[in-house]
Amino acid sequence: MGVLEKAPAKINLSLDVLGKRDDGYHEVEMIMTTIDLYDRIELESLANDTIHVSLASRYVPSDERNLAYKAAQVLKDHCNINNGVHIRMDKNIPVSAGLGGGSSDAAAVLRGLNRLWKLELPLEELAHIGSAIGSDVPFCVYNNTALVKGRGEKVFPLPKPPPCWVILAKPDIGVSTSKIFQLLNTEDVVHLRTEEIVNALIAKDFQKLCTYSANVLEKVTLERYPEVLELKKKMTGAGALGVLMSGSGPTIYGLVQQEKKGISIYNGLRGFCDEVYLVRMLG
Ligand code: C5P
C-alpha cells in the first residue's frame, strides 16, 4: 500500500532581508502561507534498495537533482533505512516561480515517508532534516501560515490569513533565487514592518494585510525583468489588492475578497500571460 501527500504552493506575504551571513546565505524575516495549488506525491515501497522518481515535466529532472529524490535520500540516511521507494509526482505548481514547488515536494516526501516507513518522527525533526535540502523546506513541512527567520529554519506559526482569493500570474521566464539574492544590495534595503502584518493576521484585517505586505527582493527582480514589472502593473490596474511578487519571483500575485472579482481579473490576465491561476488562500 502506498501513501499520498499533497504538496501545496506557498506565497510570501512578506519577505525582508536583514543582512548577509558568513555562510553565504542571507538572514531573512518573512511571512509565508499556503495556497490551494498543489502537486500530488504518491509513495510506494520498492523491494530493492533504490529511489526511483517518475514525473511528466519538461523542467524538472527525475534524478538526484530533484528535491523530492534528495529528501528521500536524506531521510533514508538519517534513519538507516534499507528499503527503496518509488516517488510518483504529479506537478501542477509552476517551476522556478517563487512558489516553493520543489521545497513543498521535498517536504511532502519527508511527511509521506515518515508514514510509509512508520518512523513516527515529529514534524520538528522532519523540518530540521529538511533544512539540509533547501531553505524553504522547514516551512513546507508544517504547511501553515508562519513567520520564518534565520536562513529559513526558524518557523513560528501564525493565524491563517482572512479568507480570500489569490490570482497568480507567472511570466514565461525562470528566475534563479541565488542570482536575485546576489544582486541585492543589503545596505539599500528599506526594511518592512513585519509586526504590522502579524497584527493584521491576528486581527483578520484584510485591508491592513494588503497595505503592509511587501517583498524587498521585488526591486531586484523588477529592475532585471521588465515583464514582471509589467505584470505587476496589469494586476494592480485590474483592481487586485496587495499585489506582490512571491519569493524571488517571477510570479506576481494579487488578492481579492470576492470570487467574482477574482474571475474577472483572472480572465483579463489570461489574454496577456499563459500561466494564470485563481485559487483560494489556505494557510
Ligand atoms: O536554500 P536554497 O537552496 O533554496 O537557496 C537557494 C539560494 O538562495 C542559495 O544558494 C542562496 O544563494 C540563496 N538564499 C540566501 N539566503 C536564504 C535563502 C536562500 O542567500 N535565506
Side-chain angles (χ1 to χ4, degrees), residues 246-267:
S246 187
S248 55
T251 302
I252 294 283
Y253 75 82
L255 307 177
V256 289
Q257 285 182 296
Q258 280 123 13
E259 184 180 11
K260 224 170 123 187
K261 178 93 187 155
I263 293 170
S264 117
I265 297 174
Y266 167 84
N267 285 332

Side-chain angles (χ1 to χ4, degrees), residues 4-238:
L4 274 170
E5 277 286 332
K6 277 184 177 183
K10 60 88 182 164
I11 53 171
N12 285 83
L13 298 175
S14 74
L15 195 165
D16 198 356
V17 177
L18 305 182
K20 237 183 218 163
R21 298 157 46 123
D22 293 338
D23 61 5
Y25 285 85
H26 290 76
E27 196 70 15
V28 294
E29 185 170 78
M30 48 194 188
I31 297 177
M32 300 206 277
T33 192
T34 51
I35 55 172
D36 195 14
L37 169 67
Y38 51 86
D39 295 342
R40 280 191 196 82
I41 307 287
E42 199 182 335
L43 304 168
E44 234 171 291
S45 288
L46 285 180
N48 55 352
D49 187 8
T50 56
I51 299 167
H52 184 75
V53 175
S54 57
L55 80 166
S57 167
R58 275 192 292 152
Y59 307 106
V60 186
S62 60
D63 57 20
E64 59 283 349
R65 290 170 295 167
N66 188 310
L67 293 191
Y69 184 110
K70 274 190 190 158
Q73 187 66 63
V74 169
L75 192 64
K76 251 167 84 63
D77 294 346
H78 183 84
C79 299
N80 285 318
I81 304 288
N82 296 316
N83 297 333
V85 63
H86 183 188
I87 304 170
R88 256 188 225 100
M89 305 177 64
D90 181 7
K91 288 223 46 97
N92 300 301
I93 305 171
V95 177
S96 296
L99 298 173
S103 306
S104 192
D105 295 342
V109 167
L110 293 176
R111 287 193 307 269
L113 287 179
N114 196 32
R115 291 199 281 137
L116 188 73
W117 291 337
K118 300 189 170 44
L119 303 172
E120 295 185 15
L121 301 179
L123 287 183
E124 292 72 27
E125 193 168 344
L126 294 181
H128 179 69
I129 295 166
S131 66
I133 302 159
S135 304
D136 286 342
V137 178
F139 166 81
C140 294
V141 164
Y142 296 103
N143 269 341
N144 49 13
T145 303
L147 173 65
V148 178
K149 293 187 179 198
R151 201 195 106 202
E153 77 286 4
K154 296 177 191 159
V155 182
F156 306 95
L158 286 172
K160 60 162 99 173
C164 62
W165 292 85
V166 188
I167 310 115
L168 303 121
K170 182 192 166 279
D172 194 19
I173 51 168
V175 165
S176 152
T177 304
S178 74
K179 184 155 278 166
I180 299 301
F181 268 107
Q182 262 171 37
L183 289 168
L184 178 76
N185 183 348
T186 49
E187 309 287 305
D188 275 359
V189 169
V190 179
H191 294 293
L192 310 186
R193 303 201 36 204
T194 304
E195 74 287 356
E196 293 296 351
I197 307 169
V198 172
N199 289 338
L201 290 171
I202 292 168
K204 299 242 172 284
D205 187 335
F206 179 76
Q207 296 296 335
K208 186 170 178 171
L209 174 66
C210 295
T211 303
Y212 285 99
S213 66
N215 178 348
V216 303
L217 295 180
E218 213 178 46
K219 192 168 169 277
V220 181
T221 308
L222 265 45
E223 269 171 15
R224 203 177 165 81
Y225 300 100
E227 54 270 67
V228 185
L229 175 63
E230 192 56 31
L231 208 47
K232 178 158 171 147
K233 285 185 185 159
K234 280 248 170 356
M235 183 92 80
T236 307

